[in-house]
Amino acid sequence: MAPKKNARESANAAPAVAAPALAEPAPVVKPAPTKPKASEASTPWDKVLINLYNHYIDETPQRTKLLDVFLVFLAAVGALQFLYCILAGNYPFNAFLSGFGATVGQFVLTISLRIQTTEANKSEFPQVSPERSFADFIVCSLILHFFCINFIN
Amino acid sequence: MAVATQGASSGINGQNTRTLLRVSILFLIAAAAVASRLFSVIRFESIIHEFDPWFNFRATKYLVANGFYKFWDWFDDRTWHPLGRVTGGTLYPGLMVTSGVIYHALRALTVPVDIRNICVLLAPAFSGLTAYAAYLLTNEMTTSSSAGLLAAAFMGITPGYISRSVAGSYDNEAIAIFLLVFTFYLWIKALKLGSMLWGALCALFYGYMVASWGGYAFITCILPLHAFVLIGMGRFSNRLYVSYTTWYALGTLASMQIPFVGFLPVKTSEHMPALGIFGFVQLVGFLQYVRSSMSAKQFKTFVITVIVGAVGIGLAGLVGLTSLGYIAPWSGRFYSLWDTGYAKIHIPIIASVSEHQPTAWPAFFFDLNMLIWLFPAGVYLCFQDLRDEHVFVVVYALFGSYFAGVMVRLMLTLTPIVCVAAAMAASQILDTYLSAKKPNVEEVADAGSTDAKPVKTSGLRVASKPAVGIFTFVSKALVVGGMAVYLLLFVSHCTWVTSNAYSSPSVVLASRMPDGSQHIIDDYREAYQWLRQNTKEDAKIMSWWDYGYQIGGMADRPTLVDNNTWNNTHIATVGKAMSSSEEVSYPIMRQHEVDYVLVVFGGLLGYSGDDINKFLWMVRIAEGIWPEEVKERNFFTSRGEYRVDAEATDTMKNSLMYKMSYYNYHSLFPAGQTVDRVRGSRLPDQGPVLNTIEEAYTTENWIIRIYKVKDLDNVGRDLFSAASFDRGQKKKSSKKKGPRVLRVD
């Protein structure tokens, strides 16, 4: 993932890239950014969000954006499952857990991949090349889905 | 061995030579670790020890005989009669599967090996691996080449670990400690590299650990705690994010594969810290991203609102779900970790197990010897350059020490970190004093000046290392010599403890004859063999739960209760039968289809671990369920003494346990000289009379006594009048015993 061409493009990218994409996922995170918006609803917050958005659009390499789309998809699926569990009950609890676990696990693995392939984080991972991190990602996903399928009943 | 490890650090040149030396030393350490655990095999024989291992052994035999899937679905109707036990779903299968795999692998290699020998030797074999894991873990902590080897040596022979891993002690801990140390090693590795692969490996070994031992909760709590402390120190990094989330996501799913664990990771409070930290790490990671694209002030308000909101929602959710009953609150065993008196009041069955008692302080010295005073020094050294992995040592050391102080058996979880920290301290001493080079005066002066300015920002300032060398040969020789003496003393202490305290199978007892020769007391196996040969295949044996696994394993007969203790009421029923008079006990035994009753009696031999000494626990557990019918107070004399002689209370004398223990005992002695050697009391000449059961077998040294429960009288009399008729008494004398009544005290 994140081959050299993109890496060169984003060589000057600022350290922090994804924000809005990450604001969606994980039910824990989600309510928090919206709450201050509701309470204050004044210009600074709008500005902040617009800033974030522009920053993201400008500074993120194409491949990372692709990953972010996948993340949004995972977050949506996870949220859907969670909603179903709350509304319709958790009867096949095995199935719910493995489905939800699969999305959450895939989500964090993808974020990990995203972190490791982001150029700005290079210094933190001296021993992990983008190719290596993609291989890791594949192996971990395989393990994850093996467990999920085994658990789904 | 200690000398050999010192040799490694003394300067031998050449990378290859060093590697070769290191490998051979590690092999020697592993060999020493295995060898020191073989005392019991050499002294006695290749036999499974104690209680729980007998169940594991039986389960392994079942697995080997019936295959994995049958084992997984195993419903055992030969325990907990008449309830049975869903054994496949209520055990940690890791141990049995491990030995099963080894067995089949050896068979495939056409090595004809008995499954018993694999089970007996599994723990020593894994102790060699544990030593290697300790070596790896220590090497992550320090650059000193000798520290890892010292840690491996310590880990290999320290009694704190040997206590649970001698040959024959085929228990979950046998492999669990290796998995514990190795999981920690993988965690440190994952954290250092920030690699998903190492995180996944950590999760896999964590899953293996979950499959092997209930103590996995220790890892489940230590890793999040480490992550939390790191975040609290302002050391959140993407490496932490990657390793922690990978471990948690994969590890939790892996742990849920074990039927016994199942939904626990999302349903019990013990696992909630890990989940909470998982959410927290997501949050912190998210904030980290947002940070740079905002001004500092905006960011601050943003952070505060987000954190307060998320933590508030998380806590409220946790409390709400707990009160609604979706998440189980802390279990009783967990409470007893915080309040040592808790178990005694609320769950006597936990308090009745001796290894759940708080640790006496000499035990630390006994089990760890000199490591216990090197341990704080090692932890202190970790503060010198407080990197992420050193924080782990500190966190682990703190919690391990606390838990080891609360419960004797948790000494086992403390031991690895003590070995690691002590090895760091010892190698620091040796490295400093063993270097043959004389320090240069200018260098020292130089070092003194550089020392003044704060070079290390991460460590504590007071702990920064003054780079001054040792000049005189005398002080070097003194310190190194002293250290060598300590190390040798440590080795001899470990050997002594292992040989004397931890190598007894407790199934076979050893004693010394007056001429010094060894005498083997083999009553347990004698009795179990008798049961195996003289009773029906499905004869139900009632005994106190301690002996349930042994009866199942050695005698192969169904039992009422065993060491699994999953059903407190059933155990209390047995306790009630034992502690009540025959009138009450007999119906209970009939209802449970008991054919034989087995008691352990040490009075003749002075064997103190017998049933009369455990009797009060039976009473207490029974009283917990039937407070009206069984009262502990009635077993004490008016002066509050627990007596078995003529002064004993009527309740005591009439209880089934007392009668079974002392039945016919007086016939061994001349009149007036009947003595119970355990309790040191003189017994009355008139022994107890049994009406509803009859003596079936008593072993050579009277340690085990087996009674047969009489069938209903075939002329329709009640058993009391029938028995008195047989004794030739007039009917009148036993007339008052008509219908079954409770004891009148």
Side-chain angles (χ1 to χ4, degrees):
Chain A
M1 228 24 206
K4 273 123 207 165
K5 200 178 85 187
N6 270 350
R8 227 175 291 127
E9 273 174 17
S10 63
N12 302 327
V17 254
L22 285 173
E24 308 284 325
V28 194
V29 182
K30 164 101 180 164
T34 52
K35 217 170 72 177
K37 210 176 167 188
S39 59
E40 286 188 56
S42 54
T43 35
W45 280 109
D46 293 350
K47 227 191 237 166
V48 167
L49 291 180
I50 291 168
N51 267 355
L52 278 177
Y53 180 71
N54 290 337
H55 185 79
Y56 174 75
I57 292 293
D58 296 342
E59 310 276 354
T60 314
Q62 192 58 37
R63 298 221 173 187
T64 312
K65 277 182 184 158
L66 205 63
L67 281 184
D68 289 339
V69 172
F70 185 44
L71 286 175
V72 172
F73 165 72
L74 285 173
V77 172
L80 213 64
Q81 285 178 343
F82 199 72
L83 210 67
Y84 177 85
C85 174
I86 290 174
L87 294 180
N90 59 6
Y91 164 59
F93 197 44
N94 279 78
F96 166 70
L97 274 185
S98 44
F100 193 64
T103 43
V104 171
Q106 197 63 63
F107 183 81
V108 294
L109 288 178
T110 316
I111 290 198
S112 300
L113 175 66
R114 191 186 189 289
I115 289 174
Q116 290 185 344
T117 49
T118 303
E119 196 61 23
N121 294 330
K122 205 77 224 138
S123 57
E124 272 197 83
F125 302 97
Q127 295 190 19
V128 183
S129 65
E131 289 79 12
R132 161 79 192 268
S133 70
F134 190 66
D136 282 3
F137 174 74
I138 298 285
V139 171
C140 292
S141 304
L142 281 177
I143 297 172
L144 176 78
H145 290 289
F146 168 75
F147 282 142
C148 287
I149 290 169
N150 191 31
F151 192 61
I152 206 163
N153 273 356
Chain B
M1 197 162 47
V3 182
T5 39
Q6 284 176 28
S9 56
S10 64
I12 292 159
N13 295 321
Q15 197 62 35
N16 286 337
T17 328
R18 274 169 191 259
T19 313
L20 183 69
L21 205 57
R22 202 167 293 162
V23 169
S24 52
I25 289 171
L26 276 175
F27 267 106
L28 282 176
I29 289 172
V34 173
S36 69
R37 283 163 170 80
L38 295 182
F39 275 112
S40 58
V41 172
I42 291 162
R43 250 183 235 159
F44 300 97
E45 60 190 281
S46 170
I47 184 185
I48 303 288
H49 291 190
E50 297 194 330
F51 306 106
D52 287 15
W54 276 101
F55 166 73
N56 299 328
F57 179 48
R58 181 164 161 254
T60 311
K61 280 200 290 191
Y62 187 89
L63 168 70
V64 169
N66 293 303
F68 182 72
Y69 287 103
K70 275 199 142 175
F71 174 70
W72 206 248
D73 300 329
W74 184 18
F75 178 82
D76 189 1
D77 57 354
R78 292 177 74 77
T79 50
W80 294 91
H81 185 83
L83 308 170
R85 174 185 170 194
V86 192
T87 312
T90 55
L91 49 62
Y92 291 102
L95 183 72
M96 299 95 191
V97 173
T98 307
S99 7
V101 166
I102 294 175
Y103 176 78
H104 287 300
L106 288 179
R107 282 284 156 132
L109 295 171
T110 64
V111 181
V113 62
D114 189 15
I115 184 72
R116 177 174 54 92
N117 286 321
I118 291 178
C119 293
V120 166
L121 294 176
L122 190 76
F126 267 85
S127 72
L129 290 177
T130 313
Y132 181 60
Y135 167 78
L136 291 175
L137 181 63
T138 315
N139 273 358
E140 293 300 317
M141 301 294 166
T142 168
T143 50
S144 164
S145 55
S146 58
L149 293 171
L150 274 172
F154 290 160
M155 195 70 224
I157 58 170
T158 185
Y161 174 41
I162 285 187
S163 66
R164 290 320 197 89
S165 62
V166 290
S169 124
Y170 179 57
D171 214 342
N172 292 332
E173 289 92 331
I175 62 171
I177 296 303
F178 161 67
L179 295 171
L180 184 84
V181 180
F182 203 68
T183 310
F184 285 148
Y185 160 70
L186 291 171
W187 161 247
I188 295 296
K189 197 83 185 167
L191 182 64
K192 266 184 158 179
L193 298 179
S195 153
M196 276 185 268
L197 187 66
W198 286 98
L201 278 177
C202 179
L204 285 182
F205 270 86
Y206 171 72
Y208 190 6
M209 172 80 181
V210 176
S212 307
W213 193 36
Y216 75 89
F218 187 65
I219 302 184
T220 323
C221 292
I222 282 285
L223 296 195
L225 195 70
H226 181 213
F228 183 68
V229 169
L230 285 179
I231 296 172
M233 290 168 77
R235 290 193 180 193
F236 177 83
S237 63
N238 287 324
R239 284 178 286 111
L240 178 65
Y241 180 91
V242 172
S243 48
Y244 185 79
T245 53
T246 313
W247 167 73
Y248 183 75
L250 293 182
T252 308
L253 273 170
S255 67
M256 288 195 288
Q257 311 295 316
I258 311 302
F260 191 31
V261 177
F263 300 140
L264 291 184
V266 289
K267 284 205 155 172
T268 55
S269 295
E270 286 95 334
H271 299 81
M272 283 303 127
L275 180 62
I277 297 297
F278 181 69
F280 191 59
V281 167
Q282 307 290 342
L283 194 68
V284 177
F286 169 63
L287 290 177
Q288 202 83 333
Y289 278 119
V290 177
R291 182 183 234 154
S292 61
S293 57
M294 282 186 180
S295 67
K297 204 181 163 198
Q298 279 175 335
F299 183 67
K300 209 170 173 186
T301 45
F302 188 74
V303 164
I304 289 170
T305 39
V306 166
I307 286 195
V308 168
V311 171
I313 290 171
L315 271 184
L318 184 65
V319 171
L321 284 174
T322 310
S323 58
L324 285 176
Y326 287 114
I327 297 175
W330 304 96
S331 70
R333 267 170 218 261
F334 228 75
Y335 276 126
S336 59
L337 283 181
W338 306 110
D339 175 8
T340 45
Y342 180 88
K344 194 160 185 180
I345 304 164
H346 298 280
I347 356 174
I349 194 140
I350 290 182
S352 74
V353 180
S354 61
E355 63 186 22
H356 290 162
Q357 306 296 331
T359 319
W361 67 263
F364 283 98
F365 190 75
F366 187 74
D367 274 354
L368 301 165
N369 194 264
M370 71 159 195
L371 303 186
I372 202 64
W373 51 260
L374 279 174
F375 171 49
V379 175
Y380 173 77
L381 283 176
C382 285
F383 278 100
Q384 276 201 337
D385 45 2
L386 200 57
R387 291 198 304 272
D388 291 353
E389 59 268 27
H390 297 121
V391 176
F392 178 75
V393 174
V394 175
V395 168
Y396 185 178
L398 271 178
F399 276 77
S401 315
Y402 175 75
F403 289 133
V406 170
M407 223 185 244
V408 176
R409 76 187 288 193
L410 292 182
M411 183 74 87
L412 198 61
T413 53
L414 174 69
T415 307
I417 198 64
V418 169
C419 291
V420 169
M424 286 165 72
S427 79
Q428 177 79 13
I429 294 173
L430 290 178
D431 286 354
T432 311
Y433 283 91
L434 264 181
S435 69
K437 270 190 297 205
K438 204 170 182 180
N440 195 326
V441 183
E442 285 166 28
E443 265 176 30
V444 171
D446 207 35
S449 62
T450 50
D451 193 44
K453 60 184 176 188
V455 189
K456 294 186 179 67
T457 45
S458 57
L460 294 184
R461 207 151 53 90
V462 278
S464 60
K465 193 176 356 184
V468 183
I470 315 298
F471 284 90
T472 61
F473 178 74
V474 180
S475 60
K476 279 182 189 172
L478 259 179
V479 172
V480 171
M483 204 60 205
V485 168
Y486 274 122
L487 286 171
L488 290 174
L489 274 180
F490 175 67
V491 171
S492 78
H493 172 85
C494 291
T495 318
W496 178 80
V497 169
T498 311
S499 132
N500 285 299
Y502 292 138
S503 288
S504 162
S506 88
V507 175
V508 184
L509 309 166
S511 69
R512 296 253 167 236
M513 300 297 266
D515 61 352
S517 66
Q518 196 181 39
H519 177 64
I520 300 283
I521 297 163
D522 209 356
D523 282 35
Y524 279 99
R525 287 197 292 177
E526 183 189 344
Y528 296 138
Q529 187 67 13
W530 184 87
L531 280 175
R532 194 184 261 271
Q533 289 179 343
N534 295 285
T535 61
K536 287 203 304 290
E537 180 81 21
D538 61 344
K540 283 91 192 166
I541 318 287
M542 181 173 93
S543 72
W544 190 233
W545 61 263
D546 295 15
Y547 314 106
Y549 278 165
Q550 289 187 346
I551 295 172
M554 283 190 258
D556 190 27
R557 291 289 173 270
T559 51
L560 260 68
V561 291
D562 64 29
N563 312 42
N564 184 235
T565 65
W566 65 274
N567 188 329
N568 190 36
T569 314
H570 212 52
I571 292 178
T573 309
V574 173
K576 186 184 172 193
M578 295 287 195
S579 53
S580 306
S581 65
E582 281 187 79
E583 292 89 338
V584 181
S585 305
Y586 186 66
I588 296 178
M589 293 192 287
R590 293 292 304 182
Q591 281 161 5
H592 290 86
E593 301 178 314
V594 175
D595 295 303
Y596 293 90
V597 187
L598 182 148
V599 289
V600 175
F601 173 66
L604 182 65
L605 214 63
Y607 170 62
S608 61
D610 69 349
D611 276 348
I612 292 284
N613 277 357
K614 292 173 185 168
F615 190 34
L616 282 178
W617 287 110
M618 304 183 203
V619 173
R620 276 175 206 149
I621 291 168
E623 190 180 10
I625 305 285
W626 292 280
E628 296 302 313
E629 298 172 48
V630 184
K631 291 197 181 66
E632 188 183 349
R633 182 67 196 85
N634 293 337
F635 290 85
F636 291 105
T637 61
S638 53
R639 280 185 294 166
E641 292 166 306
Y642 180 62
R643 304 186 72 137
V644 293
D645 53 11
E647 310 262 306
T649 61
D650 284 342
T651 315
M652 182 74 188
K653 280 182 179 167
N654 284 326
S655 67
L656 192 67
M657 174 56 71
Y658 180 90
K659 284 184 170 183
M660 286 192 295
S661 291
Y662 294 108
Y663 182 68
N664 262 344
Y665 186 54
H666 62 277
S667 64
L668 281 180
F669 298 88
Q673 295 185 19
T674 316
V675 169
D676 180 330
R677 294 209 175 97
V678 174
R679 288 150 284 267
S681 49
R682 194 170 290 271
L683 295 165
D685 283 337
Q686 204 49 257
V689 178
L690 285 170
N691 293 312
T692 57
I693 55 179
E694 60 192 351
E695 186 174 359
Y697 189 72
T698 297
T699 56
E700 184 189 355
N701 300 297
W702 287 57
I703 286 188
I704 298 212
R705 311 196 65 186
I706 300 170
Y707 292 85
K708 184 171 173 37
V709 179
K710 283 186 191 167
D711 206 350
L712 293 175
D713 189 55
N714 52 12
V715 220
R717 298 167 295 182
D718 69 85
L719 286 170
F720 295 91
S721 45
S724 59
F725 179 80
D726 287 345
R727 280 192 296 271
Q729 290 169 342
K730 280 182 196 159
K731 207 173 180 187
K732 207 178 157 210
S733 63
S734 64
K735 189 69 186 171
K736 65 177 171 94
K737 293 176 180 166
R740 305 190 296 266
V741 285
L742 285 183
R743 292 164 285 127
V744 186
D745 299 318

